Amino acid sequence: MNKLSLIIATLLLTLSSTIRAQEIVPQTYCNPLDIDYTYMVYNSARNISYRSGADPAVVEFRGEYYMFVTRSFGYWHSTDLVNWNFIKPAQWFFEGSNAPTAFNYKDSLIYFAGDPAGYGSILYTDDPKGGKWTPTASISNNIQDSELFIDDDGKTYLYWGSSNVHPIRVKMLNKNDRFLETGVRKDLINLVEEEHGWERFGENNFHPTLKEGYMEGASMTKHNGKYYLQYAAPGTQFNVYGDGVYISDSPIGPFTYMKNNPMSFKPGGFTNGAGHGITVKQTNDQYWHFGTMALASNSHWERRLCMFPTYFDNEGLMHSNTHYGDYPRYAPNHPTKAGEHCGWMLLSYKGETTVSSSKQQIRKSTSTDDEIEITEMPLQKSDDGEILSKVLTDESPKSFWVAEANDDHQWVEIEMLQPGKIYAFQLNFHDHESGIYTRTEGLRHCFTIEVSEDGKNWNTVIDRSNSYKDSPNAYIVLNQPVNGKYVRYNNIKVPGNNFAMSEIRVFGTGFGKKPSEVKDFTVQREDDRRDVSLSWKPVKGAQGYNIRWGIAPDKLYQSWLVYDTTEHFMRCLDRDTKYYFSIESFNENGISEKTEIIILD
């Protein structure tokens, strides 16, 4: 072998070793979804400025996806259900659409409705990507919180309702004659709070005065000849906001309550709620449920979007996988585990955090009487004189820190409790007196992120210093994971007058042991059979616990994730249903084995 051949062979061997050493990082997503949410006009008269995204209607059209969101002055387009780009349509409702509905009819037209005044024309287009829509000449009344559904035979139905008194209703329309009503109207379903605990109004399904929850957000899915009428309850601002299902052999009923309700439910963890959504079938026939999550910090109506994989089991029961629902999840392109938790855990929880400056630090919570409790935290400093923050790693989207300015002198540094292998970050920015009240183009989040193993030598792993991306809930995955114990966010410029943040979340895998199995797990049904008390012994090294339950040992479809507690009280059971419970502990290193199942008669 000559010298040149030897050099080439050596280079090829080195390159091959480098490729083998690199880890294949899967595509993932994380709730709340990372899109450029629109600033709302709600409460603008009171100078309350905040972004929101709620009541999603997602449709597949010619192999691609379109997502319509309340009062967003347009909609989003995606080819993979992960990366979404905003489309500003040429014709649209002046005030934006409220609780929108959309339907793809035989890949020829998309129909859309959702005027905020409760009436309006139904729009249609064969070019949603171009943003050109045509209104029908007909005016259809009572389309607030509506769902447009066109069956395989072309018969058209409009479901609607948003009330704590009135039911979900349906009326038939003539698709071929300006969507005029045919005269067929029917009351379908209403809440039955005395039987269904999860339908009760209030945070954690309790309110001292209001007993009736709100039924709203109707949605229809047809699967294997059955009609699955979905509805949201009990209120969009609460952690227990979810979607239930009634099933029928006909689009106009009669409908039967699904015994494993709610179908989509996420009451615990970082961001709560999974209601008022829509179920869409991916091109590979996998179903996805998009829903609404409650942020509710600046306003009760401050909301975000989520996405969960959805299935129909051997009994035809519809259910979504919301376990570890705000941790990174495999993207829809994964061949076998799409939408499942990918195994990356939370490394940043309770990390010691120092900040460049502090105008204020606020901790908020939604109380049981529908009000927001506000605590302003006093300024604290470390022994070295650095300003401390307790709200940026507490797993609460309602708490937040506000810097003195919005410039490149502002920073946040987190020393995590344990080192780990870092895969991804989620940056949850907060709107503090931003002074923006509508859809605004040109907003940017510019920053860099550094990682260190010793707090002295830093490596820049993310550089968005010149980014034109607007990411109020930025989720960023590294091309290759890095080891670290310290994370530093360096601000450059973000929307608003002050740089403000509610949470910095760091995901990856720790170097220690996952926690052991939970011991002495007890479940006690209360005199009010909709209520249940749970308790267990603390597990050494655990961050928190994930309670799982369902209507059969192999149907533990529900879960409630809690941190730093060994007891829990829930009011979300159905009165006459037999349940099965289990629990697992977790930390930055992984998830324990589940306990043996407890039967609750």
Side-chain angles (χ1 to χ4, degrees), residues 90-127:
Q91 302 92 7
W92 208 241
F93 295 119
F94 178 74
E95 298 177 71
S97 61
N98 194 62
T101 177
F103 193 87
N104 171 11
Y105 183 66
K106 297 184 177 180
D107 262 4
S108 61
L109 292 173
I110 287 183
Y111 292 101
F112 173 87
D115 184 74
Y119 64 89
S121 296
I122 293 177
L123 312 180
Y124 64 91
T125 184
D126 64 357
D127 182 22

Tab-separated table of all heavy atoms in Angstrom, residues 90-127:
chain	number	residue	atom	x	y	z
A	90	ALA	N	-56.024	35.035	2.642
A	90	ALA	CA	-56.422	36.234	1.908
A	90	ALA	C	-57.784	36.739	2.362
A	90	ALA	O	-58.023	37.948	2.412
A	90	ALA	CB	-56.443	35.928	0.409
A	91	GLN	N	-58.704	35.814	2.683
A	91	GLN	CA	-60.025	36.196	3.201
A	91	GLN	C	-60.247	35.443	4.509
A	91	GLN	O	-60.023	34.248	4.585
A	91	GLN	CB	-61.137	35.837	2.209
A	91	GLN	CG	-60.994	36.470	0.835
A	91	GLN	CD	-60.246	35.581	-0.129
A	91	GLN	OE1	-59.956	34.455	0.180
A	91	GLN	NE2	-59.917	36.124	-1.289
A	92	TRP	N	-60.731	36.184	5.521
A	92	TRP	CA	-60.936	35.538	6.816
A	92	TRP	C	-61.899	36.368	7.646
A	92	TRP	O	-62.177	37.525	7.320
A	92	TRP	CB	-59.598	35.403	7.555
A	92	TRP	CG	-59.555	34.232	8.506
A	92	TRP	CD1	-59.366	34.264	9.855
A	92	TRP	CD2	-59.665	32.857	8.158
A	92	TRP	NE1	-59.357	32.999	10.377
A	92	TRP	CE2	-59.544	32.094	9.359
A	92	TRP	CE3	-59.878	32.166	6.964
A	92	TRP	CZ2	-59.631	30.711	9.397
A	92	TRP	CZ3	-59.952	30.788	6.997
A	92	TRP	CH2	-59.823	30.078	8.196
A	93	PHE	N	-62.424	35.763	8.714
A	93	PHE	CA	-63.271	36.519	9.625
A	93	PHE	C	-62.467	37.653	10.249
A	93	PHE	O	-61.341	37.448	10.707
A	93	PHE	CB	-63.816	35.603	10.721
A	93	PHE	CG	-64.733	34.537	10.209
A	93	PHE	CD1	-64.435	33.197	10.371
A	93	PHE	CD2	-65.910	34.870	9.559
A	93	PHE	CE1	-65.285	32.207	9.910
A	93	PHE	CE2	-66.769	33.888	9.096
A	93	PHE	CZ	-66.458	32.559	9.264
A	94	PHE	N	-63.047	38.824	10.282
A	94	PHE	CA	-62.322	40.020	10.719
A	94	PHE	C	-61.768	39.873	12.132
A	94	PHE	O	-60.660	40.289	12.428
A	94	PHE	CB	-63.243	41.243	10.632
A	94	PHE	CG	-62.600	42.514	11.117
A	94	PHE	CD1	-61.630	43.146	10.343
A	94	PHE	CD2	-62.925	43.063	12.334
A	94	PHE	CE1	-61.018	44.308	10.781
A	94	PHE	CE2	-62.323	44.224	12.781
A	94	PHE	CZ	-61.369	44.845	12.004
A	95	GLU	N	-62.552	39.271	13.038
A	95	GLU	CA	-62.131	39.142	14.426
A	95	GLU	C	-61.353	37.854	14.705
A	95	GLU	O	-61.038	37.546	15.844
A	95	GLU	CB	-63.358	39.177	15.346
A	95	GLU	CG	-64.144	40.468	15.280
A	95	GLU	CD	-65.373	40.398	16.169
A	95	GLU	OE1	-65.193	40.419	17.402
A	95	GLU	OE2	-66.482	40.301	15.652
A	96	GLY	N	-61.045	37.115	13.665
A	96	GLY	CA	-60.478	35.800	13.886
A	96	GLY	C	-61.586	34.815	14.166
A	96	GLY	O	-62.730	35.172	14.406
A	97	SER	N	-61.289	33.537	14.114
A	97	SER	CA	-62.311	32.516	14.320
A	97	SER	C	-62.315	32.059	15.766
A	97	SER	O	-61.275	31.957	16.406
A	97	SER	CB	-62.041	31.318	13.409
A	97	SER	OG	-60.782	30.749	13.701
A	98	ASN	N	-63.499	31.771	16.287
A	98	ASN	CA	-63.634	31.327	17.668
A	98	ASN	C	-64.106	29.878	17.687
A	98	ASN	O	-65.088	29.532	17.044
A	98	ASN	CB	-64.642	32.202	18.408
A	98	ASN	CG	-64.560	32.015	19.898
A	98	ASN	OD1	-63.534	32.296	20.505
A	98	ASN	ND2	-65.637	31.536	20.491
A	99	ALA	N	-63.412	29.015	18.444
A	99	ALA	CA	-63.754	27.596	18.524
A	99	ALA	C	-64.027	27.047	17.132
A	99	ALA	O	-65.144	26.637	16.814
A	99	ALA	CB	-64.943	27.395	19.456
A	100	PRO	N	-63.026	27.005	16.268
A	100	PRO	CA	-63.254	26.692	14.861
A	100	PRO	C	-63.555	25.214	14.612
A	100	PRO	O	-63.271	24.350	15.440
A	100	PRO	CB	-61.924	27.078	14.202
A	100	PRO	CG	-60.911	26.880	15.286
A	100	PRO	CD	-61.606	27.295	16.552
A	101	THR	N	-64.117	24.943	13.457
A	101	THR	CA	-64.316	23.586	12.973
A	101	THR	C	-63.865	23.526	11.523
A	101	THR	O	-63.971	24.507	10.786
A	101	THR	CB	-65.782	23.145	13.080
A	101	THR	OG1	-65.917	21.839	12.518
A	101	THR	CG2	-66.711	24.096	12.345
A	102	ALA	N	-63.346	22.388	11.121
A	102	ALA	CA	-62.918	22.212	9.728
A	102	ALA	C	-63.137	20.764	9.337
A	102	ALA	O	-63.065	19.859	10.175
A	102	ALA	CB	-61.445	22.588	9.564
A	103	PHE	N	-63.389	20.534	8.059
A	103	PHE	CA	-63.632	19.175	7.589
A	103	PHE	C	-63.086	19.019	6.172
A	103	PHE	O	-63.337	19.853	5.297
A	103	PHE	CB	-65.128	18.838	7.602
A	103	PHE	CG	-65.396	17.372	7.436
A	103	PHE	CD1	-65.421	16.539	8.546
A	103	PHE	CD2	-65.575	16.813	6.180
A	103	PHE	CE1	-65.646	15.173	8.400
A	103	PHE	CE2	-65.800	15.467	6.020
A	103	PHE	CZ	-65.828	14.630	7.145
A	104	ASN	N	-62.332	17.955	5.969
A	104	ASN	CA	-61.798	17.616	4.658
A	104	ASN	C	-62.789	16.693	3.958
A	104	ASN	O	-62.998	15.560	4.386
A	104	ASN	CB	-60.433	16.929	4.830
A	104	ASN	CG	-59.906	16.344	3.528
A	104	ASN	OD1	-60.436	16.595	2.457
A	104	ASN	ND2	-58.846	15.555	3.633
A	105	TYR	N	-63.379	17.173	2.882
A	105	TYR	CA	-64.358	16.367	2.159
A	105	TYR	C	-63.716	15.740	0.925
A	105	TYR	O	-63.465	16.415	-0.073
A	105	TYR	CB	-65.567	17.219	1.752
A	105	TYR	CG	-66.654	16.410	1.065
A	105	TYR	CD1	-67.349	15.433	1.774
A	105	TYR	CD2	-66.951	16.599	-0.273
A	105	TYR	CE1	-68.335	14.677	1.165
A	105	TYR	CE2	-67.945	15.852	-0.901
A	105	TYR	CZ	-68.623	14.889	-0.175
A	105	TYR	OH	-69.597	14.123	-0.776
A	106	LYS	N	-63.394	14.468	1.030
A	106	LYS	CA	-62.899	13.644	-0.081
A	106	LYS	C	-61.689	14.260	-0.785
A	106	LYS	O	-61.515	14.100	-2.002
A	106	LYS	CB	-64.034	13.388	-1.080
A	106	LYS	CG	-65.188	12.590	-0.492
A	106	LYS	CD	-66.254	12.271	-1.532
A	106	LYS	CE	-67.366	11.408	-0.916
A	106	LYS	NZ	-68.423	11.070	-1.891
A	107	ASP	N	-60.846	14.944	0.002
A	107	ASP	CA	-59.623	15.554	-0.525
A	107	ASP	C	-59.883	16.542	-1.668
A	107	ASP	O	-58.996	16.838	-2.463
A	107	ASP	CB	-58.625	14.491	-1.004
A	107	ASP	CG	-57.567	14.197	0.044
A	107	ASP	OD1	-57.661	14.756	1.144
A	107	ASP	OD2	-56.648	13.412	-0.233
A	108	SER	N	-61.121	17.039	-1.756
A	108	SER	CA	-61.437	18.009	-2.807
A	108	SER	C	-61.585	19.409	-2.242
A	108	SER	O	-61.161	20.386	-2.864
A	108	SER	CB	-62.722	17.609	-3.519
A	108	SER	OG	-63.823	17.572	-2.613
A	109	LEU	N	-62.181	19.520	-1.035
A	109	LEU	CA	-62.404	20.827	-0.415
A	109	LEU	C	-62.238	20.710	1.091
A	109	LEU	O	-62.558	19.675	1.688
A	109	LEU	CB	-63.816	21.340	-0.713
A	109	LEU	CG	-64.166	21.732	-2.156
A	109	LEU	CD1	-65.665	22.031	-2.240
A	109	LEU	CD2	-63.366	22.925	-2.628
A	110	ILE	N	-61.756	21.788	1.696
A	110	ILE	CA	-61.833	21.937	3.142
A	110	ILE	C	-62.934	22.938	3.446
A	110	ILE	O	-62.965	24.032	2.880
A	110	ILE	CB	-60.497	22.440	3.737
A	110	ILE	CG1	-59.455	21.326	3.722
A	110	ILE	CG2	-60.696	22.910	5.186
A	110	ILE	CD1	-58.138	21.724	4.362
A	111	TYR	N	-63.851	22.542	4.326
A	111	TYR	CA	-64.900	23.446	4.791
A	111	TYR	C	-64.534	23.940	6.188
A	111	TYR	O	-63.973	23.198	6.999
A	111	TYR	CB	-66.243	22.729	4.829
A	111	TYR	CG	-66.779	22.370	3.463
A	111	TYR	CD1	-66.665	21.073	2.977
A	111	TYR	CD2	-67.387	23.333	2.663
A	111	TYR	CE1	-67.152	20.732	1.719
A	111	TYR	CE2	-67.884	22.996	1.407
A	111	TYR	CZ	-67.758	21.703	0.939
A	111	TYR	OH	-68.241	21.381	-0.301
A	112	PHE	N	-64.874	25.186	6.477
A	112	PHE	CA	-64.469	25.798	7.743
A	112	PHE	C	-65.578	26.691	8.277
A	112	PHE	O	-66.257	27.382	7.517
A	112	PHE	CB	-63.212	26.639	7.549
A	112	PHE	CG	-62.823	27.438	8.763
A	112	PHE	CD1	-62.028	26.875	9.741
A	112	PHE	CD2	-63.286	28.729	8.940
A	112	PHE	CE1	-61.688	27.588	10.878
A	112	PHE	CE2	-62.957	29.446	10.076
A	112	PHE	CZ	-62.154	28.874	11.040
A	113	ALA	N	-65.755	26.682	9.609
A	113	ALA	CA	-66.680	27.606	10.262
A	113	ALA	C	-66.159	27.928	11.652
A	113	ALA	O	-65.488	27.119	12.278
A	113	ALA	CB	-68.080	27.002	10.353
A	114	GLY	N	-66.488	29.126	12.149
A	114	GLY	CA	-66.060	29.489	13.493
A	114	GLY	C	-66.063	30.962	13.763
A	114	GLY	O	-65.130	31.497	14.355
A	115	ASP	N	-67.094	31.667	13.326
A	115	ASP	CA	-67.149	33.115	13.547
A	115	ASP	C	-67.392	33.424	15.020
A	115	ASP	O	-68.210	32.780	15.678
A	115	ASP	CB	-68.272	33.721	12.704
A	115	ASP	CG	-68.310	35.230	12.831
A	115	ASP	OD1	-67.441	35.879	12.248
A	115	ASP	OD2	-69.198	35.733	13.545
A	116	PRO	N	-66.706	34.426	15.601
A	116	PRO	CA	-66.829	34.688	17.035
A	116	PRO	C	-68.185	35.194	17.476
A	116	PRO	O	-68.531	35.100	18.649
A	116	PRO	CB	-65.749	35.746	17.286
A	116	PRO	CG	-65.485	36.363	15.960
A	116	PRO	CD	-65.679	35.279	14.958
A	117	ALA	N	-68.978	35.721	16.567
A	117	ALA	CA	-70.287	36.252	16.958
A	117	ALA	C	-71.341	35.158	17.089
A	117	ALA	O	-72.466	35.435	17.478
A	117	ALA	CB	-70.751	37.297	15.949
A	118	GLY	N	-70.995	33.912	16.769
A	118	GLY	CA	-71.952	32.834	16.912
A	118	GLY	C	-72.749	32.551	15.660
A	118	GLY	O	-73.651	31.730	15.656
A	119	TYR	N	-72.445	33.225	14.561
A	119	TYR	CA	-73.092	32.944	13.294
A	119	TYR	C	-72.115	33.352	12.193
A	119	TYR	O	-71.133	34.052	12.426
A	119	TYR	CB	-74.396	33.727	13.138
A	119	TYR	CG	-74.208	35.230	13.094
A	119	TYR	CD1	-73.993	35.889	11.890
A	119	TYR	CD2	-74.219	35.981	14.261
A	119	TYR	CE1	-73.795	37.259	11.852
A	119	TYR	CE2	-74.027	37.351	14.230
A	119	TYR	CZ	-73.818	37.990	13.025
A	119	TYR	OH	-73.614	39.340	13.000
A	120	GLY	N	-72.378	32.931	10.993
A	120	GLY	CA	-71.507	33.342	9.898
A	120	GLY	C	-71.512	32.336	8.782
A	120	GLY	O	-72.043	31.232	8.897
A	121	SER	N	-70.902	32.714	7.691
A	121	SER	CA	-70.825	31.845	6.530
A	121	SER	C	-69.846	30.706	6.782
A	121	SER	O	-68.885	30.836	7.528
A	121	SER	CB	-70.357	32.646	5.313
A	121	SER	OG	-71.294	33.637	4.975
A	122	ILE	N	-70.112	29.590	6.119
A	122	ILE	CA	-69.147	28.496	6.078
A	122	ILE	C	-68.242	28.734	4.875
A	122	ILE	O	-68.709	28.923	3.753
A	122	ILE	CB	-69.869	27.138	5.988
A	122	ILE	CG1	-70.643	26.886	7.288
A	122	ILE	CG2	-68.883	26.012	5.725
A	122	ILE	CD1	-71.451	25.607	7.295
A	123	LEU	N	-66.941	28.746	5.124
A	123	LEU	CA	-65.964	28.989	4.070
A	123	LEU	C	-65.496	27.663	3.485
A	123	LEU	O	-65.564	26.624	4.135
A	123	LEU	CB	-64.761	29.756	4.616
A	123	LEU	CG	-65.030	30.996	5.482
A	123	LEU	CD1	-63.714	31.624	5.922
A	123	LEU	CD2	-65.883	32.003	4.750
A	124	TYR	N	-64.971	27.720	2.266
A	124	TYR	CA	-64.394	26.511	1.672
A	124	TYR	C	-63.245	26.890	0.742
A	124	TYR	O	-63.152	28.022	0.255
A	124	TYR	CB	-65.455	25.696	0.922
A	124	TYR	CG	-66.074	26.387	-0.274
A	124	TYR	CD1	-65.528	26.233	-1.552
A	124	TYR	CD2	-67.205	27.188	-0.136
A	124	TYR	CE1	-66.089	26.861	-2.648
A	124	TYR	CE2	-67.776	27.824	-1.226
A	124	TYR	CZ	-67.220	27.654	-2.486
A	124	TYR	OH	-67.775	28.276	-3.574
A	125	THR	N	-62.356	25.900	0.504
A	125	THR	CA	-61.194	26.131	-0.356
A	125	THR	C	-60.666	24.803	-0.872
A	125	THR	O	-60.833	23.759	-0.227
A	125	THR	CB	-60.072	26.862	0.398
A	125	THR	OG1	-58.996	27.150	-0.504
A	125	THR	CG2	-59.519	26.006	1.539
A	126	ASP	N	-60.037	24.829	-2.025
A	126	ASP	CA	-59.249	23.689	-2.497
A	126	ASP	C	-57.766	24.030	-2.490
A	126	ASP	O	-56.942	23.264	-2.983
A	126	ASP	CB	-59.704	23.253	-3.895
A	126	ASP	CG	-59.465	24.327	-4.957
A	126	ASP	OD1	-59.002	25.435	-4.595
A	126	ASP	OD2	-59.736	24.065	-6.142
A	127	ASP	N	-57.449	25.192	-1.894
A	127	ASP	CA	-56.056	25.642	-1.826
A	127	ASP	C	-55.776	26.262	-0.458
A	127	ASP	O	-55.521	27.462	-0.347
A	127	ASP	CB	-55.782	26.666	-2.938
A	127	ASP	CG	-54.339	27.142	-2.945
A	127	ASP	OD1	-53.461	26.423	-2.412
A	127	ASP	OD2	-54.081	28.253	-3.460
